PDB file of all heavy atoms in Angstrom:
ATOM      1  N   THR V 591      78.347 -17.894   2.503  1.00 93.00           N
ATOM      2  CA  THR V 591      77.189 -17.637   3.379  1.00 93.00           C
ATOM      3  C   THR V 591      77.302 -16.217   4.081  1.00 93.00           C
ATOM      4  O   THR V 591      76.212 -15.588   3.977  1.00 93.00           O
ATOM      5  CB  THR V 591      77.096 -18.595   4.522  1.00 93.00           C
ATOM      6  OG1 THR V 591      77.371 -19.978   4.070  1.00 93.00           O
ATOM      7  CG2 THR V 591      75.802 -18.637   5.241  1.00 93.00           C
ATOM      8  N   PHE V 592      78.316 -15.938   4.723  1.00 93.00           N
ATOM      9  CA  PHE V 592      78.431 -14.761   5.519  1.00 93.00           C
ATOM     10  C   PHE V 592      78.909 -13.539   4.796  1.00 93.00           C
ATOM     11  O   PHE V 592      78.611 -12.399   5.119  1.00 93.00           O
ATOM     12  CB  PHE V 592      79.208 -15.132   6.718  1.00 93.00           C
ATOM     13  CG  PHE V 592      78.589 -16.042   7.751  1.00 93.00           C
ATOM     14  CD1 PHE V 592      79.353 -16.867   8.520  1.00 93.00           C
ATOM     15  CD2 PHE V 592      77.211 -16.007   7.909  1.00 93.00           C
ATOM     16  CE1 PHE V 592      78.847 -17.753   9.433  1.00 93.00           C
ATOM     17  CE2 PHE V 592      76.609 -16.874   8.879  1.00 93.00           C
ATOM     18  CZ  PHE V 592      77.463 -17.789   9.580  1.00 93.00           C
ATOM     19  N   PHE V 593      79.753 -13.786   3.786  1.00 93.00           N
ATOM     20  CA  PHE V 593      80.436 -12.614   3.338  1.00 93.00           C
ATOM     21  C   PHE V 593      79.974 -12.204   1.840  1.00 93.00           C
ATOM     22  O   PHE V 593      80.702 -11.408   1.170  1.00 93.00           O
ATOM     23  CB  PHE V 593      81.955 -12.836   3.251  1.00 93.00           C
ATOM     24  CG  PHE V 593      82.456 -13.183   4.638  1.00 93.00           C
ATOM     25  CD1 PHE V 593      83.657 -13.898   4.841  1.00 93.00           C
ATOM     26  CD2 PHE V 593      81.852 -12.639   5.786  1.00 93.00           C
ATOM     27  CE1 PHE V 593      84.197 -14.150   6.086  1.00 93.00           C
ATOM     28  CE2 PHE V 593      82.314 -13.022   7.098  1.00 93.00           C
ATOM     29  CZ  PHE V 593      83.435 -13.711   7.082  1.00 93.00           C
ATOM     30  N   ARG V 594      78.951 -12.900   1.293  1.00 93.00           N
ATOM     31  CA  ARG V 594      78.498 -12.494  -0.063  1.00 93.00           C
ATOM     32  C   ARG V 594      77.214 -12.015  -0.080  1.00 93.00           C
ATOM     33  O   ARG V 594      76.279 -12.555   0.440  1.00 93.00           O
ATOM     34  CB  ARG V 594      78.617 -13.699  -0.882  1.00 93.00           C
ATOM     35  CG  ARG V 594      80.054 -14.273  -1.240  1.00 93.00           C
ATOM     36  CD  ARG V 594      80.876 -13.235  -2.126  1.00 93.00           C
ATOM     37  NE  ARG V 594      82.179 -13.863  -2.333  1.00 93.00           N
ATOM     38  CZ  ARG V 594      83.067 -13.062  -2.978  1.00 93.00           C
ATOM     39  NH1 ARG V 594      82.844 -11.873  -3.473  1.00 93.00           N
ATOM     40  NH2 ARG V 594      84.240 -13.588  -3.260  1.00 93.00           N
ATOM     41  N   GLY V 595      77.090 -10.688  -0.494  1.00 92.00           N
ATOM     42  CA  GLY V 595      75.719 -10.004  -0.486  1.00 92.00           C
ATOM     43  C   GLY V 595      75.236  -9.774  -1.930  1.00 92.00           C
ATOM     44  O   GLY V 595      75.572 -10.608  -2.748  1.00 92.00           O
ATOM     45  N   PRO V 596      74.419  -8.819  -2.032  1.00 92.00           N
ATOM     46  CA  PRO V 596      73.811  -8.510  -3.446  1.00 92.00           C
ATOM     47  C   PRO V 596      74.936  -8.500  -4.526  1.00 92.00           C
ATOM     48  O   PRO V 596      76.019  -8.032  -4.279  1.00 92.00           O
ATOM     49  CB  PRO V 596      73.260  -7.128  -3.187  1.00 92.00           C
ATOM     50  CG  PRO V 596      73.115  -7.059  -1.802  1.00 92.00           C
ATOM     51  CD  PRO V 596      74.060  -7.906  -1.107  1.00 92.00           C
ATOM     52  N   ASN V 597      74.419  -9.072  -5.673  1.00 90.00           N
ATOM     53  CA  ASN V 597      75.422  -9.172  -6.812  1.00 90.00           C
ATOM     54  C   ASN V 597      76.673 -10.058  -6.449  1.00 90.00           C
ATOM     55  O   ASN V 597      77.680  -9.956  -7.193  1.00 90.00           O
ATOM     56  CB  ASN V 597      75.737  -7.874  -7.461  1.00 90.00           C
ATOM     57  CG  ASN V 597      74.620  -7.021  -7.567  1.00 90.00           C
ATOM     58  OD1 ASN V 597      73.593  -7.558  -8.144  1.00 90.00           O
ATOM     59  ND2 ASN V 597      74.720  -5.725  -7.252  1.00 90.00           N
ATOM     60  N   TRP V 598      76.556 -10.797  -5.392  1.00 92.00           N
ATOM     61  CA  TRP V 598      77.751 -11.653  -5.035  1.00 92.00           C
ATOM     62  C   TRP V 598      78.876 -10.799  -4.715  1.00 92.00           C
ATOM     63  O   TRP V 598      80.069 -11.273  -4.816  1.00 92.00           O
ATOM     64  CB  TRP V 598      77.981 -12.731  -6.058  1.00 92.00           C
ATOM     65  CG  TRP V 598      78.588 -13.942  -5.382  1.00 92.00           C
ATOM     66  CD1 TRP V 598      79.912 -14.389  -5.520  1.00 92.00           C
ATOM     67  CD2 TRP V 598      77.825 -15.028  -4.666  1.00 92.00           C
ATOM     68  NE1 TRP V 598      80.041 -15.636  -4.789  1.00 92.00           N
ATOM     69  CE2 TRP V 598      78.839 -15.870  -4.230  1.00 92.00           C
ATOM     70  CE3 TRP V 598      76.546 -15.102  -4.161  1.00 92.00           C
ATOM     71  CZ2 TRP V 598      78.504 -17.021  -3.546  1.00 92.00           C
ATOM     72  CZ3 TRP V 598      76.196 -16.224  -3.462  1.00 92.00           C
ATOM     73  CH2 TRP V 598      77.171 -17.220  -3.166  1.00 92.00           C
ATOM     74  N   ASN V 599      78.702  -9.550  -4.361  1.00 91.00           N
ATOM     75  CA  ASN V 599      79.798  -8.733  -3.889  1.00 91.00           C
ATOM     76  C   ASN V 599      80.327  -9.105  -2.571  1.00 91.00           C
ATOM     77  O   ASN V 599      79.467  -9.639  -1.712  1.00 91.00           O
ATOM     78  CB  ASN V 599      79.399  -7.215  -3.903  1.00 91.00           C
ATOM     79  CG  ASN V 599      79.425  -6.661  -5.233  1.00 91.00           C
ATOM     80  OD1 ASN V 599      80.202  -7.083  -6.043  1.00 91.00           O
ATOM     81  ND2 ASN V 599      78.550  -5.665  -5.583  1.00 91.00           N
ATOM     82  N   PHE V 600      81.487  -8.840  -2.239  1.00 92.00           N
ATOM     83  CA  PHE V 600      81.978  -9.120  -0.865  1.00 92.00           C
ATOM     84  C   PHE V 600      81.528  -8.038   0.113  1.00 92.00           C
ATOM     85  O   PHE V 600      81.534  -6.853  -0.100  1.00 92.00           O
ATOM     86  CB  PHE V 600      83.589  -9.186  -0.771  1.00 92.00           C
ATOM     87  CG  PHE V 600      84.000  -9.065   0.570  1.00 92.00           C
ATOM     88  CD1 PHE V 600      83.929 -10.223   1.411  1.00 92.00           C
ATOM     89  CD2 PHE V 600      84.435  -7.854   1.118  1.00 92.00           C
ATOM     90  CE1 PHE V 600      84.361 -10.222   2.778  1.00 92.00           C
ATOM     91  CE2 PHE V 600      84.919  -7.856   2.395  1.00 92.00           C
ATOM     92  CZ  PHE V 600      84.926  -9.002   3.237  1.00 92.00           C
ATOM     93  N   PHE V 601      81.010  -8.405   1.293  1.00 92.00           N
ATOM     94  CA  PHE V 601      80.712  -7.604   2.381  1.00 92.00           C
ATOM     95  C   PHE V 601      81.347  -8.203   3.610  1.00 92.00           C
ATOM     96  O   PHE V 601      81.143  -9.405   3.930  1.00 92.00           O
ATOM     97  CB  PHE V 601      79.195  -7.512   2.519  1.00 92.00           C
ATOM     98  CG  PHE V 601      78.540  -6.784   1.431  1.00 92.00           C
ATOM     99  CD1 PHE V 601      78.055  -7.403   0.310  1.00 92.00           C
ATOM    100  CD2 PHE V 601      78.447  -5.299   1.486  1.00 92.00           C
ATOM    101  CE1 PHE V 601      77.510  -6.712  -0.695  1.00 92.00           C
ATOM    102  CE2 PHE V 601      77.857  -4.686   0.506  1.00 92.00           C
ATOM    103  CZ  PHE V 601      77.378  -5.386  -0.762  1.00 92.00           C
ATOM    104  N   GLY V 602      81.998  -7.397   4.491  1.00 92.00           N
ATOM    105  CA  GLY V 602      82.484  -7.872   5.756  1.00 92.00           C
ATOM    106  C   GLY V 602      81.187  -8.311   6.566  1.00 92.00           C
ATOM    107  O   GLY V 602      80.071  -7.866   6.320  1.00 92.00           O
TER     108      GLY V 602
END
Side-chain angles (χ1 to χ4, degrees):
Chain V
T591 314
F592 288 148
F593 304 154
R594 291 293 181 182
N597 308 319
W598 211 253
N599 280 331
F600 166 76
F601 292 90

